[in-house]
Each structure stands twice: as structure tokens, then as C-alpha cells.
Amino acid sequence: MNKSSHQGPELFGNDSESGNWLWQYVQSMSPEMISQLSRPSSGDVYQVMERNIVGLLGNLPSEHFGVTITTNRENLGRLLASAMISGYFLRNAEQRMAFEKSLLASEANASEAD
């Protein structure tokens, strides 16, 4: 792999110089925590993330094609970062939706009590 000075820090590179704080943080997590964070909290989130990754990689049906994807370390890191950002976004949207439903329910209960 060719390293050039104009590229950003590698996701899976060395931890010197500026220090790759995200990679260091992930490495410091327990396997249980990584497993918990890696699991979508709902089927809806899982389906959206799956469609997003399939969209990034391409969608040829494996029963009709021998699909092989090759990439380099940098692009794989970008794919991982994209999936993580999408996951955090979807989790936040899911939490917000649950909060809004809860808020609407409490407002409805308060209105009925009056």
C-alpha cells in the first residue's frame, strides 16, 4: 500500500504522531461492549443499515454471480467509518422517535387528567 503525506490518518495504522483516538478507544473496549454496540437495537435499524452497506458495495445477487469484493485498507476503513456513522445516526433517530412518542403519550395523559 502506498502512503502519501496528504492523506488523513489511517483508521488501522500506527498510533503515533497525532494518535488515532478512535482506534485507541475501540481497542480499549471490552469484547462484551463491542458486541453490544455492534448489535442494532431493532430490526428496522438493522434493515436500514443492511441496505446502506449493500448500496455502498453493490447489489448483485450471489446466487447468480460469484461476487468478490477487493479493496485496500484505507477504503475498508472508510466503509467502516461510514457504517459506524450511519449506525450512530440511526440509533439517535430511533431514540428521538421513542422520546417523541413518550412525550406525546404523557401530554395525552395530562390532557385527559384535566
Side-chain angles (χ1 to χ4, degrees):
M1 183 167 42
N2 211 359
K3 274 190 171 181
S4 64
S5 60
H6 69 278
Q7 294 176 340
E10 292 182 37
L11 283 178
F12 303 107
N14 62 31
D15 295 318
S16 62
E17 292 182 19
S18 64
N20 192 329
W21 55 268
L22 177 59
W23 181 237
Q24 291 172 0
Y25 178 70
V26 170
Q27 285 180 318
S28 72
M29 289 181 172
S30 69
E32 295 82 20
M33 178 61 70
I34 291 174
S35 176
Q36 181 182 1
L37 291 174
S38 300
R39 212 173 309 123
S41 56
S42 74
D44 293 337
V45 169
Y46 180 82
Q47 287 177 350
V48 171
M49 289 181 70
E50 182 179 43
R51 282 190 296 238
N52 183 37
I53 292 172
V54 166
L56 291 169
L57 295 176
N59 190 17
L60 291 175
S62 59
E63 63 270 3
H64 301 293
F65 299 92
V67 178
T68 302
I69 298 171
T70 57
T71 188
N72 61 27
R73 199 170 167 173
E74 182 178 339
N75 289 334
L76 182 60
R78 288 180 180 163
L79 176 64
L80 175 62
S82 175
M84 289 173 67
I85 291 168
S86 296
Y88 287 124
F89 171 78
L90 291 169
R91 178 67 179 137
N92 286 335
E94 185 179 47
Q95 286 177 330
R96 181 181 173 136
M97 183 179 68
F99 177 72
E100 287 180 3
K101 284 180 181 179
S102 176
L103 185 60
L104 290 173
S106 68
E107 288 175 351
N109 290 339
S111 297
E112 291 174 4
D114 289 340

